[in-house]
Amino acid sequence: MNTTYINDLNNQTTINNIDYTPPKVWEPVADNGGKFTSINRPTAGARHEQTLPVGEQPLQLYSLNTPNGIKVNILLEELAELGVEGAGYDAYKIDIMELDQFGSDFVAINPNSKIPALVDYSDKQNPVRLFESGAILMYLAEKFDKFAPDTSDKQKYADYLSWSMWQMASAPYVGGGFGHFFNYAPYPMQYPIDRFTMETKRQLDVLDQHLAKREYMLGDGEDYYSIVDMLIWPWYGRLALDESYERAGEFLQVDQYTHLQRWAKQIAQRPAVKRAVELELTPLH
Ligand SMILES: N[C@@H](CCC(=O)N[C@@H](CS)C(=O)NCC(=O)O)C(=O)O
């Protein structure tokens, strides 16, 4: 196999196998220099015993302030802002670089070993385990009857489902695709950066065109502010405000998405959102 030596952005010499031919059977690479290589394995399940703390509040959040984590923080803080009874929570930090997501208690809540995860102890005899940020937001919004439409307005309810699913399906192209290859890969590779930049800009345009015609994702006025906005803002709002990846704002020309910018700034000013972004999570160690 021929290897090509190139200089990456930090002027470190790295190996770029431009003429890589996949072998018959894939074998994991011990260290390819990627930021998350050391934590990845091709198998699932707990890697060590680890007991998670359980506080006094009905809701126990195990998470991190990444975009997927911030979604849940926003809803919990919006519920707190409204003084909703039973929505009190304790928040614990799952440090993914310390491999807390592979601890036995965490895996028992989320077999997929990714933050955020939440346990609802409102009924202490029958605690409810939840994972996937979209599922957590839908569960809490429906439980407290806040920030999600009921089924009486069929189109509004359909929009809520459609845009929630859109976010969950689309954001991995931004985070795992564009963000990974632009920001975390050990050296710049044009093919994946071109592919995922194209898709990320297309998605930003989808939102920009949608938000040109309405204040929030589901419509106009405070009644239409919903978990759809809370799901989308941490990924696309923060990307539009150039708060996600270094140099990404200019690279993606985010200023051109003026309606998305207007919505992103409006949501960023909400007190609950400000608190959510900076939420203090109790460390496990
Ligand atoms: N679809 C999931 C994605 C969750 C996710 O990717 N979490 C990342 C941090 S943002 C994680 O825990 N990564 C740890 C790992 O991959 O080991 C959700 O929205 O909850």
Side-chain angles (χ1 to χ4, degrees):
M1 178 173 65
N2 293 326
T3 54
T4 305
Y5 292 85
I6 61 161
N7 286 323
D8 72 7
L9 294 172
N10 300 319
N11 269 337
Q12 288 165 344
T13 304
T14 50
I15 302 168
N16 188 10
N17 299 329
I18 283 169
D19 59 352
Y20 170 68
T21 305
K24 276 204 172 122
V25 177
W26 178 80
E27 292 287 343
V29 181
D31 182 9
N32 62 11
K35 179 163 182 196
F36 301 106
T37 307
S38 61
I39 68 175
N40 291 336
R41 281 188 200 168
T43 51
R47 296 187 195 170
H48 58 270
E49 287 297 314
Q50 189 173 42
T51 306
L52 289 177
V54 179
E56 294 297 313
Q57 297 293 336
L59 304 175
Q60 299 294 304
L61 175 66
Y62 303 100
S63 194
L64 196 62
N65 289 349
T66 64
N68 290 320
I70 288 170
K71 296 172 193 173
V72 183
N73 302 356
I74 295 176
L75 177 55
L76 290 168
E77 283 302 314
E78 292 286 8
L79 293 170
E81 190 79 11
L82 295 179
V84 171
E85 209 174 306
Y89 69 98
D90 296 299
Y92 298 99
K93 180 174 174 182
I94 298 299
D95 188 333
I96 61 175
M97 297 314 283
E98 293 288 327
L99 309 185
D100 291 337
Q101 70 275 36
F102 302 110
S104 50
D105 271 12
F106 188 85
V107 174
I109 303 168
N110 183 2
N112 194 40
S113 286
K114 294 194 190 281
I115 67 92
L118 182 133
V119 184
D120 178 0
Y121 285 94
S122 305
D123 175 356
K124 284 206 168 64
Q125 305 309 313
N126 299 296
V128 177
R129 301 179 302 277
L130 288 139
F131 63 94
E132 284 293 321
S133 55
I136 296 172
L137 265 73
M138 286 175 141
Y139 173 92
L140 293 175
E142 288 173 20
K143 174 183 169 94
F144 295 111
D145 197 14
K146 300 278 182 226
F147 302 114
D150 60 30
T151 52
S152 58
D153 180 336
K154 294 257 180 306
Q155 188 57 61
K156 189 177 176 193
Y157 185 69
D159 288 346
Y160 153 72
L161 293 177
S162 301
W163 283 109
S164 297
M165 295 300 146
W166 177 87
Q167 188 285 317
M168 294 305 292
S170 300
Y173 289 99
V174 176
F178 169 74
H180 182 86
F181 285 101
F182 185 72
N183 200 52
Y184 299 123
Y187 47 87
M189 286 164 259
Q190 187 174 354
Y191 180 81
I193 290 177
D194 280 348
R195 174 175 161 79
F196 292 118
T197 299
M198 179 83 79
E199 174 60 9
T200 297
K201 283 183 71 78
R202 192 193 66 79
Q203 292 179 14
L204 289 168
D205 197 37
V206 168
L207 291 171
D208 194 54
Q209 292 192 30
H210 187 74
L211 289 163
K213 300 195 198 83
R214 43 189 80 65
E215 184 181 7
Y216 296 113
M217 286 302 296
L218 296 186
D220 292 328
E222 187 67 12
D223 277 358
Y224 283 80
Y225 174 60
S226 74
I227 63 162
V228 176
D229 300 289
M230 300 178 206
L231 286 167
I232 291 176
W233 185 84
W235 280 110
Y236 299 93
R238 297 198 80 197
L239 188 59
L241 298 176
D242 200 12
E243 289 170 359
S244 297
Y245 308 107
E246 211 180 317
R247 299 188 306 113
E250 189 181 2
F251 189 73
L252 297 170
Q253 293 286 283
V254 290
D255 287 348
Q256 75 192 62
Y257 306 106
T258 52
H259 308 289
L260 178 62
Q261 292 278 339
R262 187 268 309 151
W263 168 87
K265 285 181 192 147
Q266 192 172 329
I267 294 197
Q269 279 161 13
R270 298 180 71 90
V273 174
K274 284 187 183 161
R275 290 198 300 274
V277 170
E278 304 288 338
L279 193 76
E280 264 190 51
L281 301 139
T282 308
L284 299 186
H285 310 278

